[in-house]
């Protein structure tokens, strides 16, 4: 399954939930916010949210800014 | 021995209130441009700020999952985080950024809205700012809005329901100081929401001037982060903000063109 994560193309070997993707990326325990195809996915739904072919995922966090 | 004159303690002042929450500090600081998180932490501590701005950006994927997290040095239970929409040039991008910030920070509603119009000046796109403010206020956000020093636009943003209006003193990161004090004064006089100078402050005297004009607070980043010694400058800004506030409350003497002797003329012996 091909998806785009933060502008990079990624392939997943099998179907995955959003929670599984975040685990693979090492972000399972990080404070982040996630959009899939421009819709925000609440943190409570990461486990039940199934990713689909060609999904575009944005993962953001807080960094220094003024 | 003479006793030192009693200074008016700052605790006689009303605290700054934004969106129903009270703050003792009238200095708000950003977290950009610091050397590292430790310098950020020390500067914030020295500034005494309680409201701290952050930016929302893509998480680094795969490169360094254990990179230090900014939120570790500005814990959410100690500080009020103010996510900004820096870098947004459209209404959509700004609204989207605020909604992501709300999700990121567990439903947090306070945001700093800026919709930029031009890369060279980073001046706000006022029409886009107004449109974004309307959407965000309707969506339940408490909007602190960055704008130019136009009193009519400031009023309009207040009427929309923004929680605070934040006119620039000078372009973002320029350090040029308060370029149009009379407009800032007019904005302050017209307002019934907090007015904070946001952007353009360069050094402590600029902060004092903003507060002497009656601003309710100041938001700054580069003036502290780009100083040779950011932690010392943060301390200077804290004092200048307090000094300016006290001077505003005290009410300055009228300006006069010619001298007025401080010592009495009566009792001269020559």
């Amino acid at each position: 399954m091909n998806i785009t994560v933060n502008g990079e193309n990624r392939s997943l070997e099998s179907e995955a939930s959003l929670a599984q993707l975040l685990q693979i990326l090492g972000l399972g325990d990080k404070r982040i916010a996630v959009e899939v195809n421009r819709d925000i996915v609440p943190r409570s739904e990461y486990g039940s949210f199934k990713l689909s072919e060609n999904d575009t995922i944005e993962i953001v966090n807080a960094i220094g800014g003024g | 021995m003479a006793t030192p004159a009693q200074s008016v303690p700052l605790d006689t002042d009303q605290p700054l209130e934004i969106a129903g929450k009270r703050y003792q500090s009238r200095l708000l600081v950003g977290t950009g441009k610091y050397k590292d998180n430790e310098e950020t932490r020390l500067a914030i501590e020295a500034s005494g700020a309680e409201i701290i701005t952050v930016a929302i950006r893509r998480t680094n994927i795969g490169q360094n999952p254990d990179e230090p997290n900014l939120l570790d040095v500005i814990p959410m239970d100690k500080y009020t985080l103010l996510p900004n929409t820096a870098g947004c040039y459209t209404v959509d991008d700004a609204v989207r950024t605020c909604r992501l910030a709300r999700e990121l920070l567990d439903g947090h509603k306070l945001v700093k809205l800026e919709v930029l119009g031009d890369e060279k000046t980073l001046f706000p796109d006022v029409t886009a700012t107004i449109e974004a403010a309307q959407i965000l206020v309707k969506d339940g956000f408490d909007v602190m809005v960055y704008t130019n020093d136009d009193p009519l636009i400031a009023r309009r943003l207040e009427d929309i329901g923004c929680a605070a209006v934040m006119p620039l003193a000078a372009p973002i990161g320029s350090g040029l100081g308060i370029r149009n004090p009379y407009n800032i004064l007019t904005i302050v006089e017209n307002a019934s929401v907090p007015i904070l100078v946001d952007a353009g402050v360069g050094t402590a005297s600029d902060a004092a001037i903003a507060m002497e004009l009656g601003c309710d607070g100041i938001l700054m980043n580069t003036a502290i982060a780009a100083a040779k010694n950011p932690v010392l400058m943060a301390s200077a800004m804290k004092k200048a903000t307090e000094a300016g506030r006290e001077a505003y409350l005290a009410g300055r003497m009228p300006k006069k063109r010619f001298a007025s002797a401080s010592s009495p003329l009566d009792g001269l012996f020559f």
Side-chain angles (χ1 to χ4, degrees):
Chain A
M1 183 167 64
N2 295 304
I3 56 174
T4 306
V5 184
N6 285 4
E8 291 176 21
N9 296 322
R10 296 248 166 184
S11 305
L12 297 176
E13 287 175 9
S14 58
E15 287 201 348
S17 67
L18 183 54
Q20 285 166 322
L21 172 69
L22 296 174
Q23 207 62 47
I24 293 166
L25 296 172
L27 299 171
D29 57 346
K30 304 286 181 191
R31 182 176 282 276
I32 51 172
V34 181
E35 268 183 357
V36 179
N37 304 327
R38 302 207 42 157
D39 288 326
I40 290 173
V41 181
R43 197 169 298 143
S44 57
E45 294 173 18
Y46 291 171
S48 59
F49 193 99
K50 298 291 176 209
L51 295 173
S52 307
E53 182 74 19
N54 295 326
D55 273 350
T56 298
I57 297 147
E58 290 291 341
I59 307 171
V60 301
N61 63 354
I63 65 154
Chain B
M1 203 174 88
T3 50
Q6 278 290 304
S7 64
V8 180
L10 266 182
D11 60 10
T12 60
D13 191 7
Q14 295 294 314
L16 171 64
E17 186 172 328
I18 297 172
K21 191 169 170 191
R22 292 174 161 215
Y23 302 92
Q24 295 308 312
S25 171
R26 293 176 179 274
L27 174 59
L28 289 67
V29 299
T31 49
K33 301 182 181 172
Y34 285 99
K35 190 177 67 186
D36 52 29
N37 278 354
E38 180 60 6
E39 189 181 66
T40 311
R41 185 183 71 78
L42 292 170
I44 290 171
E45 257 179 34
S47 76
E50 297 163 275
I51 302 179
I52 315 293
T53 61
V54 298
I56 306 299
R57 291 291 181 272
R58 277 178 170 167
T59 303
N60 279 337
I61 302 292
Q63 292 133 351
N64 184 7
D66 291 322
E67 70 181 346
N69 184 351
L70 176 67
L71 298 185
D72 293 340
V73 298
I74 40 169
M76 288 169 65
D77 53 354
K78 187 172 170 195
Y79 295 104
T80 296
L81 297 191
L82 182 60
N84 69 26
T85 63
C88 292
Y89 285 81
T90 66
V91 173
D92 274 357
D93 287 347
V95 171
R96 188 179 173 197
T97 301
C98 289
R99 288 178 176 154
L100 277 166
R102 182 168 60 185
E103 168 63 21
L104 179 73
L105 302 175
D106 306 329
H108 179 92
K109 293 193 301 180
L110 190 69
V111 291
K112 171 181 158 178
L113 171 65
E114 54 184 291
V115 187
L116 303 172
D118 170 59
E119 284 179 25
K120 185 173 176 182
T121 60
L122 298 179
F123 282 146
D125 177 334
V126 212
T127 51
T129 301
I130 287 172
E131 196 183 330
Q134 285 167 328
I135 294 169
L136 291 169
V137 167
K138 209 172 166 187
D139 200 8
F141 284 94
D142 295 322
V143 180
M144 299 179 72
V145 58
Y146 163 72
T147 183
N148 59 15
D149 59 11
D150 179 339
L152 301 178
I153 297 299
R155 192 54 181 269
R156 183 89 189 276
L157 290 164
E158 177 181 333
D159 291 344
I160 287 170
C162 290
V165 176
M166 306 200 290
L168 54 82
I172 293 171
S174 69
L176 287 172
I178 318 283
R179 301 321 301 157
N180 199 340
Y182 294 101
N183 273 25
I184 300 288
L185 186 61
T186 305
I187 290 171
V188 167
E189 286 172 351
N190 286 344
S192 49
V193 294
I195 301 297
L196 295 89
V197 156
D198 176 9
V201 167
T203 189
S205 52
D206 297 333
I209 289 169
M211 296 310 293
E212 286 169 14
L213 289 169
C215 288
D216 298 281
I218 313 175
L219 200 168
M220 64 178 76
N221 188 157
T222 309
I224 297 174
K228 280 184 187 163
N229 183 335
V231 179
L232 191 56
M233 186 57 89
S235 165
M237 290 299 188
K238 175 180 195 272
K239 291 170 184 161
T241 304
E242 290 173 359
R245 179 68 183 174
E246 287 191 6
Y248 167 73
L249 293 172
R252 63 151 298 147
M253 63 162 281
K255 289 179 184 176
K256 285 177 282 196
R257 187 169 166 208
F258 293 110
S260 154
S262 302
S263 304
L265 297 175
D266 288 350
L268 282 176
F269 51 89
F270 45 82

